[in-house]
Amino acid sequence: GAGVSQSPSNKVTEKGKDVELRCDPISGHTALYWYRQSLGQGLEFLIYFQGNSAPDKSGLPSDRFSAERTGGSVSTLTIQRTQQEDSAVYLCASSLEPYGTQYFGPGTRLLVL
Amino acid sequence: AQSVSQHNHHVILSEAASLELGCNYSYGGTVNLFWYVQYPGQHLQLLLKYFSGDPLVKGIKGFEAEFIKSKFSFNLRKPSVQWSDTAEYFCAVLGGSQGNLIFGKGTKLSVKP
């Protein structure tokens, strides 16, 4: 079946602009995760959704970051007033249930100029 | 907080050489452990996982890993590497409070033909 998909695959934006990243998890997967992969920080966890609910948003790097999930499926990660340090690959993963095996999407490579 | 250490940043091998990549984790309780691989230009793929049972886990493409609880280790091995194994390898523990993965910094493997 189809894996996790993410769009766009690449995004170049100017500092100060808002960006929206999309994740489409594997059908039927209730748990959805966002991670960020950058050279200096490695792979870091951002936020988790169980269904449409994100119980803890403390992993988000700043209040410029927000995320939502609708219909227990698609999720969007929004970064407002982007900064150069936001440049990274943003990865989405889903699992059938919490604490299950996570399957990753191809990521969105974000470059903030 | 839990952490994962991968001792080797970059490993260079010739084809047919044996491979062992080190991974140590900090958590002392029940652990679920993973190795993911990221081939050049591709997304993170699950190589193998350990949840319970036989501590010697076999994965795809001839890889295996051994969970040694007393050493807090989950080293990845392959008896004979191929050029196509050139990739970055990430060890991870399912240990975050939200069922998220905690990753090591990754080990880049370069296999010379």
Side-chain angles (χ1 to χ4, degrees), chain B residues 23-93:
Chain B
C23 172
N24 287 90
Y25 59 93
S26 63
Y27 184 61
T30 302
V31 287
N32 297 329
L33 294 156
F34 303 81
W35 277 96
Y36 284 86
V37 60
Q38 190 169 32
Y39 297 102
Q42 295 189 29
H43 63 281
L44 275 170
Q45 299 173 38
L46 180 67
L47 204 52
L48 49 78
K49 62 184 178 183
Y50 172 79
F51 273 51
S52 64
D54 189 343
L56 185 61
V57 179
K58 296 200 183 295
I60 60 171
K61 305 187 180 187
F63 286 91
E64 65 179 29
E66 186 174 11
F67 169 59
I68 304 180
K69 189 174 181 179
S70 61
K71 294 185 178 180
F72 297 89
S73 71
F74 190 56
N75 291 354
L76 181 70
R77 301 194 293 244
K78 187 171 184 180
S80 174
V81 295
Q82 301 173 317
W83 177 78
S84 58
D85 293 324
T86 294
E88 190 157 16
Y89 293 80
F90 294 90
C91 181
V93 63

Side-chain angles (χ1 to χ4, degrees), chain A residues 33 35 37 99 101-102 104-105, chain B residues 36 38 49 94 97 99 101:
Chain A
Y33 303 81
Y35 294 85
Q37 186 176 23
Y99 296 91
T101 300
Q102 294 177 31
F104 284 81
Chain B
Y36 284 86
Q38 190 169 32
K49 62 184 178 183
L94 191 65
S97 60
L101 291 166

Side-chain angles (χ1 to χ4, degrees), chain A residues 13-109:
Chain A
T13 190
E14 293 178 350
K15 178 180 168 182
K17 301 280 190 185
D18 298 351
V19 296
E20 194 172 274
L21 313 179
R22 176 189 167 108
C23 171
D24 217 322
I26 293 172
S27 178
H29 280 198
T30 64
L32 185 148
Y33 303 81
W34 283 98
Y35 294 85
R36 179 166 73 171
Q37 186 176 23
S38 56
L39 278 176
Q41 301 297 323
L43 276 151
E44 57 178 327
F45 166 69
L46 299 179
I47 192 167
Y48 153 70
F49 286 91
Q50 174 53 32
N52 293 333
S53 174
D56 183 349
K57 300 180 181 180
S58 62
L60 294 173
S62 78
D63 58 9
R64 296 184 294 102
F65 287 70
S66 62
E68 65 174 13
R69 189 179 184 194
T70 54
S73 181
V74 171
S75 175
T76 54
L77 178 69
T78 301
I79 310 173
Q80 295 179 308
R81 304 180 304 281
T82 51
Q83 303 294 311
Q84 288 181 332
E85 63 261 28
D86 299 334
S87 296
V89 178
Y90 289 83
L91 298 172
C92 177
S94 70
S95 63
L96 191 59
E97 56 193 13
Y99 296 91
T101 300
Q102 294 177 31
Y103 297 91
F104 284 81
T108 293
R109 186 176 297 276

